[in-house]
């Protein structure tokens, strides 16, 4: 298939790239562009050209599927040099996204125009490598060193207005193709020649301390990641006097990092996240629209879920047992929103639009017209069954009913209704308006259209949905329980929560296991274990946990758990160390010295074992789903690819 075509509009040529879905820069695209630009250079009738893309977006980057393979010519860096060398003006006409190699191609053109709503970025850092086709060299020359560091080290795209104000684009246009042709005609008429970003940066145009400041920032905020530091090195190289040496440094860093374990892991998780949205055996076209939502329960989870939908412009009916409880839920959302405004994550204006979309009520009759209800009430099976029986009567026949349970049997809940095929689990993670992960729990009875609807809705609203089988704890909590069991045994062996927590933080987990328990409440697991048959709970891995809860130390909310909390922060407590030592003695565990690597590897081994069982039982459809769950819901370091990926290396 031809992926590039050239048409002529008088003296202006239009080179169109058409490589669905996102115009990734495959070998065929590189070859097509190289040939098209050479033809334009040779064509005496053509005075300038526009490069644009068909479909939903400008080129969204190098073809990720080619990155692990030996590079095929023409290489992207040679192509961008060819484009830059072209003696005629070339205008990149951009819509959708110009990301990675796409932005590098645009930067090698002499001019750039874009329609409103376009995003521009160098996200390579998120895939563990450095742009390799001049992105880190041309971007600082065009927009300045600090804005370039901001874009390339953070890997976060900027919008059209920001692009115009920094000079990244020359003009915002309305009707892309005709306006870009008109723009090209104008620059030809004005006698403008092709502008090139190949001159050295003036040494007094930026602060030379910037690079070390950014390295220090990365040491704190991007702990253990190689690519952000390499991007800083590449941009620093762009500020030298030898332009070619800067490019060579960038290229060497890019090629080296592409082969790195971190990049391999990050590319794996990128692909796994996209694969997880696909449901085996379910035709995506059977999905239906969700326009309005009901939420049962306005506690932390319910309020967070309501806030999430309202933030996405979806009307929410929030049901509580009393007007006071409903008002408390609304206060929770108001408080969350005001925190987001304070932290600069939301404007006051946006926050003011969100709250009116949440309608508190105590009457199930108000749910008569909603398309989806999510129950987030107390984690007790009998209560949930009662709620679902009521929902079945109150909601229209086409409504989907979902439960946010973390570990209860979704089929039993579904069977409390006359529509078990329209009941599924939707397990959000706390805080629900922030955490990306949602487990979509598939029972034996659930209808394909229900799963397709929930999966597509989650993707559209920016969540990462993973289909999980219906078992105790589904994918995430079931595996996390094994991890916590390993951590509980290590607690007895090492004698201290801090030793275990530190080892796992240094491995890259966002928090240590005992910090997590203190934050979420040790009593949650305590109650869950009480609900399990005795033989399902390890005889002593959780004994310290249970003793702490029984002593009133439930975690942060009670001022103490594995650690003691004061306004000065968390501290290790002798009482806890004594309790651990006594418990170890009681159960014949000999304390010993374990290295951080041994501690982390014991926990990873436990995760991997449970992961294999989960795959065997079909609770997760693919190994990558396990990784997606852990990276997006449990603070597992993304650059290690997830517990299953790690174990397979
Ligand atoms: N190379 C190859 N395939 C790519 C790709 C790339 N650079 N970027 C996206 N795709 C594929 C996805 O795998 C997905 O394939 P699928 O439909 O078979 O699952 C499809 O394009 C759509 O991507 P998706 O992410 O589901 O669509 P979206 O509209 O939500 O987001 C992007 C589009 C471009 C913003 C997003 O895909 C993205 O961030 N891509 C990576 C960009 C990047 O990092 N570029 C630099 C690489 S050098």
């Amino acid at each position: 298939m031809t992926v590039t075509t050239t048409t002529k509009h008088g003296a202006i040529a239009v080179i169109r790239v058409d490589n669905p879905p996102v115009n990734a820069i495959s070998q065929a695209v590189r070859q097509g562009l190289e040939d098209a630009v050479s033809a334009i250079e040779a064509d005496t009738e053509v005075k300038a050209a526009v490069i644009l893309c068909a479909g939903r977006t400008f080129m969204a980057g190098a073809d990720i599927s080619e990155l692990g393979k030996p590079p095929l010519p023409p290489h992207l860096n040679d192509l961008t040099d060819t484009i830059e060398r072209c003696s005629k003006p070339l205008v990149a006409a951009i819509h959708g996204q110009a990301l990675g190699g796409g932005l590098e191609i645009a930067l090698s053109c002499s001019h750039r125009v874009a329609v409103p709503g376009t995003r521009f970025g160098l996200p390579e850092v998120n895939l563990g490598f450095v742009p390799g086709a001049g992105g880190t060299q041309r971007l600082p020359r065009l927009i300045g060193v600090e804005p370039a560091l901001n874009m390339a080290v953070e890997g976060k795209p900027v919008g059209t207005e920001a692009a115009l104000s920094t000079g990244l684009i020359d003009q915002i246009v309305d009707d892309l193709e005709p306006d870009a042709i008109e723009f090209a005609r104008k620059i030809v008429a004005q006698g403008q020649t092709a502008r090139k970003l190949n001159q050295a940066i003036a040494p007094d145009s930026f602060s030379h301390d910037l690079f070390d400041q950014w390295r220090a920032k990365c040491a704190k905020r991007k702990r253990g990641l190689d690519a952000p530091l390499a991007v800083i090195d590449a941009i620093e190289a762009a500020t030298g006097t030898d332009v070619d040496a800067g490019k060579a440094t960038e290229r060497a860093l890019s090629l080296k990092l592409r082969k790195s374990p971190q990049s391999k892991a990050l590319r794996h998780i990128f692909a796994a996240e996209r694969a997880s949205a696909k449901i085996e055996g379910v035709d995506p076209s059977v999905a239906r629209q969700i326009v309005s939502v009901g939420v049962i329960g306005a506690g932390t989870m319910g309020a967070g879920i309501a806030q999430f939908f309202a933030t996405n412009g979806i009307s929410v009916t929030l049901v509580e047992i009393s007007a006071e409880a409903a008002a408390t839920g609304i206060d929770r959302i108001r408080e969350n929103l005001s925190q987001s405004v304070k932290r600069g994550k939301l404007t006051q204006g946006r926050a003011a639009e969100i709250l009116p979309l949440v309608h508190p009520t105590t009457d199930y009759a108000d749910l008569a017209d909603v398309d989806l209800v999510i129950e987030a009430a107390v984690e007790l099976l009998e209560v949930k069954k009662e709620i679902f029986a009521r929902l079945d009567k109150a909601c229209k026949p086409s409504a989907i009913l979902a439960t946010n349970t973390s570990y209860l049997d979704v089929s039993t809940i579904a069977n409390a209704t006359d529509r078990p095929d329209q009941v599924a689990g939707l397990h959000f993670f706390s805080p629900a308006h922030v955490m990306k992960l949602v487990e979509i729990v598939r029972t034996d009875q659930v209808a394909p259209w229900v799963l397709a609807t929930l999966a597509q809705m989650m993707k559209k609203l920016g969540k990462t949905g993973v289909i999980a089988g219906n078992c105790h704890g589904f994918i995430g909590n079931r595996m996390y329980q094994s991890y916590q069991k390993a951590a509980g045994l290590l607690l007895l062996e090492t004698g201290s929560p801090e030793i275990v927590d530190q080892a796992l933080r240094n491995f890259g987990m966002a928090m240590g296991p005992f910090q997590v328990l203190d934050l979420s409440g040790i009593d949650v697991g305590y109650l869950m274990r009480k609900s399990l048959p005795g033989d399902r709970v390890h005889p002593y891995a959780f004994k310290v946990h249970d003793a702490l809860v029984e002593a009133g130390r439930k975690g942060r909310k009670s001022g103490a758990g594995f650690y003691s909390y004061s306004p000065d922060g968390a501290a290790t407590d002798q009482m806890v160390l004594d309790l651990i030592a006594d418990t170890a003695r009681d159960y014949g565990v000999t304390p010993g010295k374990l290295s951080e690597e041994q501690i982390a590897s014991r926990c990873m081994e436990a995760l991997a074992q449970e992961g294999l069982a989960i795959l065997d039982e079909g609770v997760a459809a693919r190994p990558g789903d396990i990784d997606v769950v852990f990276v997006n819901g449990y603070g597992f370091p993304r650059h290690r690819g997830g517990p299953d990926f790690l174990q397979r290396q």
Side-chain angles (χ1 to χ4, degrees):
M1 183 189 131
T2 315
V3 290
T4 53
T5 46
T6 303
T7 50
K8 284 204 246 175
H9 304 256
I12 310 299
V14 172
I15 304 170
R16 185 185 312 273
V17 176
D18 188 1
N19 186 29
V22 295
N23 291 308
I25 311 161
S26 61
Q27 191 278 336
V29 170
R30 295 195 299 276
Q31 189 66 61
L33 280 172
E34 176 97 17
D35 294 346
V37 172
S38 304
I40 275 153
E41 186 73 277
D43 189 334
T44 51
E45 280 174 16
V46 173
K47 303 290 177 229
V50 169
I51 298 180
L52 50 72
C53 291
R56 67 200 232 207
T57 180
F58 193 74
M59 289 163 267
D63 188 336
I64 293 172
S65 65
E66 286 184 3
L67 287 178
K69 303 174 188 157
L72 292 171
H75 305 303
L76 189 55
N77 60 317
D78 293 330
L79 171 64
T80 50
D81 284 349
T82 302
I83 294 175
E84 189 170 64
R85 269 197 309 271
C86 182
S87 63
K88 299 174 185 176
L90 295 179
V91 179
I94 309 170
H95 74 294
Q97 277 104 6
L99 298 178
L103 185 62
E104 291 181 298
I105 287 181
L107 287 168
S108 61
C109 290
S110 60
H111 298 81
R112 286 149 290 279
V113 298
V115 288
T118 306
R119 314 275 296 160
F120 309 82
L122 290 177
E124 285 85 344
V125 79
N126 302 326
L127 296 172
F129 63 99
V130 173
T136 62
Q137 308 300 295
R138 294 186 178 102
L139 189 63
R141 293 194 179 111
L142 185 62
I143 68 171
V145 174
E146 178 134 45
L149 281 164
N150 245 317
M151 275 179 76
V153 179
E154 297 297 346
K156 285 205 186 108
V158 298
T160 325
E161 292 296 338
L164 186 66
S165 70
T166 53
L168 179 52
I169 56 172
D170 300 286
Q171 195 174 306
I172 298 177
V173 296
D174 292 324
D175 200 354
L176 191 62
E177 184 166 351
D179 288 356
I181 293 173
E182 194 46 43
F183 181 88
R185 277 209 180 100
K186 212 163 61 193
I187 54 179
V188 170
Q190 288 167 353
Q192 282 190 36
T193 47
R195 294 178 310 163
K196 299 188 194 308
L197 295 170
N198 59 0
Q199 301 83 22
I201 297 174
D204 56 355
S205 67
F206 64 96
S207 154
H208 290 257
D209 296 336
L210 267 179
F211 302 107
D212 282 340
Q213 286 164 12
W214 274 82
R215 286 185 185 104
K217 226 197 273 189
C218 288
K220 269 202 208 137
R221 291 195 3 243
K222 298 179 190 289
R223 197 164 46 100
L225 295 180
D226 298 333
L229 294 172
V231 169
I232 298 171
D233 291 348
I235 295 184
E236 189 169 27
T239 61
T241 48
D242 184 342
V243 171
D244 288 336
K247 274 190 188 169
T249 301
E250 179 203 67
R251 185 76 184 152
L253 286 167
S254 182
L255 290 175
K256 181 175 148 212
L257 285 191
R258 267 179 220 197
K259 292 192 215 120
S260 69
Q262 288 193 2
S263 179
K264 204 170 156 207
L266 288 164
R267 292 197 318 259
H268 157 75
I269 200 75
F270 176 89
E273 281 169 352
R274 273 136 194 94
S276 73
K278 296 175 181 129
I279 316 169
E280 230 160 279
V282 174
D283 172 2
S285 69
V286 298
R288 299 184 191 169
Q289 284 293 323
I290 300 290
V291 176
S292 57
V293 166
V295 174
I296 308 292
T300 310
M301 280 314 283
I305 294 169
Q307 183 180 338
F308 158 67
F309 281 107
T311 303
N312 282 287
I314 294 177
S315 158
V316 183
T317 305
L318 182 59
V319 184
E320 255 297 355
I321 43 173
S322 68
E324 295 75 48
T328 308
I330 294 291
D331 286 345
R332 268 197 189 101
I333 300 175
R334 189 178 292 114
E335 176 56 25
N336 282 344
L337 291 171
S338 97
Q339 288 296 335
S340 299
V341 171
K342 263 192 215 139
R343 274 189 258 115
K345 304 237 177 234
L346 208 61
T347 63
Q348 192 72 53
R350 264 299 284 140
E353 287 165 9
I354 293 169
L355 207 54
L357 285 174
V358 184
H359 311 286
T361 179
T362 55
D363 190 353
Y364 274 54
D366 291 339
L367 295 169
D369 290 327
V370 300
D371 302 310
L372 164 70
V373 181
I374 300 160
E375 165 276 319
V378 60
E379 198 71 342
L380 290 170
L381 190 60
E382 288 314 311
V383 174
K384 291 196 192 282
K385 280 165 66 178
E386 211 173 286
I387 290 174
F388 273 74
R390 281 182 78 183
L391 286 174
D392 196 23
K393 293 200 174 65
C395 296
K396 61 186 179 188
S398 61
I400 297 176
L401 310 180
T403 170
N404 180 53
T405 180
S406 331
Y407 55 83
L408 295 175
D409 179 10
V410 180
S411 284
T412 307
I413 297 170
N415 287 333
T417 72
D418 286 334
R419 56 176 106 184
D421 57 327
Q422 285 171 228
V423 178
L426 265 188
H427 181 211
F428 287 78
F429 287 70
S430 187
H433 57 288
V434 177
M435 295 293 283
K436 283 257 200 205
L437 181 67
V438 177
E439 285 180 303
I440 302 168
V441 182
R442 175 182 206 165
T443 64
D444 291 339
Q445 310 107 299
V446 69
W449 73 264
V450 172
L451 288 178
T453 302
L454 295 177
Q456 281 179 36
M457 175 186 68
M458 285 305 147
K459 183 164 164 67
K460 198 166 124 204
L461 302 184
K463 292 277 186 205
T464 305
V466 175
I467 303 288
N470 180 28
C471 68
H472 192 274
F474 318 124
I475 299 176
N477 279 348
R478 177 167 156 185
M479 285 182 66
Y480 202 68
Q481 195 55 23
S482 299
Y483 171 83
Q484 282 290 359
K485 183 173 82 184
L489 294 172
L490 286 160
L491 179 73
L492 299 179
E493 288 175 52
T494 60
S496 150
E498 180 53 22
I499 292 176
V500 181
D501 279 345
Q502 172 122 6
L504 285 149
R505 277 198 313 268
N506 286 344
F507 168 83
M509 297 296 290
M511 291 170 85
F514 300 105
Q515 291 177 300
V516 172
L517 287 174
D518 271 3
L519 186 65
S520 56
I522 315 170
D523 53 325
V524 178
Y526 176 84
L527 291 175
M528 189 267 289
R529 284 189 292 279
K530 291 260 173 257
S531 74
L532 285 175
D535 61 348
R536 296 268 307 274
V537 182
H538 188 276
Y540 54 86
F542 299 102
K543 285 294 174 200
V544 172
H545 308 49
D546 293 351
L548 288 173
V549 173
E550 282 159 13
R553 299 181 64 121
K554 296 179 185 170
R556 277 185 189 220
K557 61 186 170 190
S558 62
F562 286 95
Y563 300 92
S564 298
Y565 296 89
S566 71
D568 296 336
T572 310
D573 194 323
Q574 192 55 46
M575 176 266 171
V576 177
L577 300 184
D578 292 344
L579 174 65
I580 296 168
D582 291 346
T583 311
R585 199 173 320 109
D586 290 350
Y587 289 92
V589 178
T590 319
K593 193 160 166 43
L594 293 169
S595 69
E596 290 200 338
E597 288 71 28
Q598 285 171 313
I599 292 171
S601 111
R602 286 260 301 273
C603 291
M604 292 309 125
E605 179 63 27
L607 275 178
Q609 285 306 324
E610 195 66 42
L612 286 179
I614 277 176
L615 283 167
D616 265 1
E617 292 167 31
V619 171
R622 324 165 183 85
D625 288 356
I626 286 175
D627 296 329
V628 173
V629 165
F630 261 76
V631 166
N632 289 286
Y634 294 85
F636 194 95
R638 199 174 172 85
H639 65 278
R640 290 189 186 264
D644 185 86
F645 176 85
L646 185 67
Q647 212 61 24
R648 284 170 200 258
Q649 297 312 296

